[in-house]
């Protein structure tokens, strides 16, 4: 019997080519795929929203987001994903489904989304302009401040987007979670939208 070996690959493995793309000169957009992360969706059961909030406070030391925002802890980010539900984004398995189950089993349903989603980070002087071509969300800093999140669509593709901490040079950072099956299509659309600004492309094994 033939033996098969399955290699875990990113859905962007073929599409992502590190390096410069588009207009020459200083790149206006940096696009980075973040890999090797744990992503768990936490969804309150009927009538259990208050219990979920209490469990989140006990587990992470902060309140789970009840409105469209992202809350950063020492080793995780809690991202609003809809009424009475949120994502837990982390690395290293500390906040995977097995680790979260003891705290949340009585009040929530947990869904491991680690291999079902792709995480793309967009930053740079023209990142906001590039994203504005693809979404109706107002990304102006007065409206979409650090920590703001939204469940929306980009080019007819459902995404969760939130603004992370600014880079050291003060440029805004936007994080986009997209279903793996749509990731390659959205990636090409983002590149096409950024080509006039110049793009640096890469991937990272560390959350930013």
């Amino acid at each position: 019997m033939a033996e098969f070996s399955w290699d875990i690959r990113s859905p962007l493995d073929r599409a992502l080519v590190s390096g410069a793309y588009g207009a020459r000169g200083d790149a206006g957009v940096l696009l980075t795929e973040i890999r090797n992360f744990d992503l768990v969706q936490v969804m309150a059961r009927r009538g259990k929203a208050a219990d979920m909030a209490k469990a989140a406070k006990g587990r992470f030391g902060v309140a789970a987001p009840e409105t469209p925002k992202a809350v950063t802890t020492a080793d995780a980010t809690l991202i609003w994903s809809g009424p009475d539900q949120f994502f837990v984004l982390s690395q290293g398995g500390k906040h995977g489904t097995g680790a979260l189950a003891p705290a949340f089993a009585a009040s929530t349903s947990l869904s491991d989304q680690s291999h079902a989603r792709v995480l793309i980070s967009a930053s740079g002087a023209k990142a906001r302009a590039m994203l504005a071509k693809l979404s109706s969300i107002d990304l102006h800093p007065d409206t979409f401040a650090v920590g703001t999140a939204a469940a929306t669509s980009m080019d007819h593709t459902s995404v969760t987007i939130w603004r992370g901490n600014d880079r050291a040079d003060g440029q805004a950072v936007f994080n986009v979670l997209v279903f793996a099956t749509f990731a390659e299509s959205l990636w090409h659309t983002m590149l096409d939208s950024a080509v006039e600004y110049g793009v640096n492309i890469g991937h990272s094994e560390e959350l930013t």
Side-chain angles (χ1 to χ4, degrees):
M1 179 180 293
E3 294 185 2
F4 294 92
S5 177
W6 298 94
D7 293 327
I8 298 176
R9 295 184 179 180
S10 162
L12 296 183
D13 205 47
R14 296 182 305 171
L16 192 155
V17 180
S18 298
Y21 181 85
R24 297 182 179 180
D26 294 336
V29 179
L30 173 63
L31 285 179
T32 304
E33 182 200 4
I34 309 299
R35 300 178 178 177
N36 191 33
F37 59 84
D38 299 309
L39 183 69
V40 178
Q41 189 164 28
V42 182
M43 299 164 285
R45 298 198 183 108
R46 183 176 299 179
K48 296 289 187 177
D51 293 335
M52 179 188 73
K54 183 178 179 180
K57 181 74 172 181
R59 172 74 186 192
F60 298 105
V62 298
E66 297 179 349
T67 57
K69 64 180 181 178
V71 180
T72 301
T73 73
D75 55 7
T77 302
L78 313 184
I79 308 147
W80 180 89
S81 59
D84 299 331
Q85 58 183 282
F86 62 95
F87 289 118
V88 178
L89 176 67
S90 63
Q91 288 185 310
K94 185 175 180 179
H95 300 299
T97 51
L100 294 179
F104 287 97
S107 60
T108 73
S109 296
L110 303 177
S111 175
D112 188 344
Q113 297 289 305
S114 305
H115 298 295
R117 311 277 179 137
V118 169
L119 177 57
I120 300 170
S121 173
S123 60
K126 295 296 184 179
R128 185 179 284 107
M130 179 270 292
L131 293 171
K133 296 180 182 182
L134 307 176
S135 175
S136 60
I137 293 292
D138 184 356
L139 298 175
H140 190 279
D142 290 342
T143 301
F144 209 83
V146 172
T148 305
T152 184
S153 64
M154 288 186 175
D155 194 39
H156 309 291
T157 301
S158 296
V159 301
T160 299
I161 181 172
W162 72 96
R163 186 172 163 192
N165 292 326
D166 291 348
R167 297 190 326 193
D169 61 5
Q171 296 294 343
V173 177
F174 299 93
N175 300 296
V176 179
L177 268 177
V178 57
F179 283 106
T181 49
F182 299 106
E184 185 171 348
S185 175
L186 182 61
W187 178 263
H188 286 301
T189 300
M190 294 174 78
L191 285 181
D192 289 344
S193 298
V195 65
E196 66 174 298
Y197 309 122
V199 190
N200 279 335
I201 300 170
H203 64 81
S204 174
E205 300 296 329
E206 298 294 330
L207 295 172
T208 55

